[in-house]
Structures are given as C-alpha cells and as structure tokens.
Amino acid sequence: MRRWRYNSELMALYEDLDLVSFIKLNRLRWIGHVYRMENTRKVTQVFYNNPQGSRQRGRPRHRWVDDVQTDLEKCGFRGWKQKVKDRDEWRRLMRETKARIGL
C-alpha cells in the first residue's frame, strides 16, 4: 500500500525547499534573467509589451509579474531593478533568499 506524503515531509526527507518556495525562488531567478536580456529578445518584448485598447469589464486579471512583485516585497528587496543588473549580486541575493526562504 502506497502512503502519500505531505509537502513538509518531502522537504524534510530530501532536505530541500518545499514546492511553493521552490516555485517562488525560481520566479525570482527568472525575473533576473528577463531584466538582463537584450531588448531584441522575444521574451523581453513580451514582458515589456503594453497592449493598446480597452480591457473587458470586471476584475483585472492576475498577472505573473504581480506574483513576482509580491515575492520581492516579502523578501524585502529594495531597488531590485538596479541589483538585478549585476549578475553576481543577484546570484548572492538568491542564495541568501534560499537560505531564509520564509516567503
């Protein structure tokens, strides 16, 4: 008979981050890549694209960048747009964040 494991049990078993923290950390790592990319790259063009026209009525859709902004605020990153340009500094911040991942 197979026994299901909870996220916290797996984290303790493998001595690694739980799934939610892993996703949040990788989102922060990816935003670093996107901000350092050249403006000619498709990923950067899509990220900075500001479509024209009007939105549908109702609640605004939740965007990926909104989650990233929330994660950055929870981590207490101030001036992250300048820090992300220095790859070594951003990598150091990501290591520190992983060490204290209480997001």
Side-chain angles (χ1 to χ4, degrees):
M1 186 165 138
R2 186 167 195 167
R3 181 174 166 233
W4 292 96
R5 295 191 185 258
Y6 292 99
N7 204 9
S8 57
E9 290 178 28
L10 291 173
M11 183 181 80
L13 180 66
Y14 293 111
E15 297 177 358
D16 203 1
L17 299 174
D18 63 290
L19 187 59
V20 174
S21 299
F22 179 79
I23 290 170
K24 289 180 179 185
L25 185 64
N26 280 324
R27 236 185 341 228
L28 294 178
R29 287 180 51 218
W30 180 248
I31 197 71
H33 293 303
V34 172
Y35 266 86
R36 284 190 302 269
M37 284 183 188
E38 300 169 359
N39 291 337
T40 57
R41 302 272 306 263
K42 290 291 181 191
V43 173
T44 308
Q45 291 171 0
V46 169
F47 183 75
Y48 288 114
N49 189 16
N50 190 8
Q52 302 300 316
S54 59
R55 292 181 179 234
Q56 296 176 348
R57 289 180 49 182
R59 185 176 137 243
R61 295 197 175 175
H62 193 75
R63 301 174 304 164
W64 178 82
V65 73
D66 296 333
D67 287 334
V68 172
Q69 193 66 35
T70 302
D71 294 343
L72 288 165
E73 289 171 6
K74 285 182 180 179
C75 289
F77 289 157
R78 303 273 188 265
W80 66 272
K81 289 183 181 179
Q82 287 74 31
K83 292 177 184 177
V84 78
K85 292 179 182 177
D86 182 5
R87 180 177 288 164
D88 294 329
E89 173 72 11
W90 190 250
R91 192 175 292 147
R92 184 186 63 76
L93 283 172
M94 291 298 102
R95 279 194 302 266
E96 287 178 10
T97 303
K98 184 177 181 181
R100 61 172 180 87
I101 197 69
L103 291 176

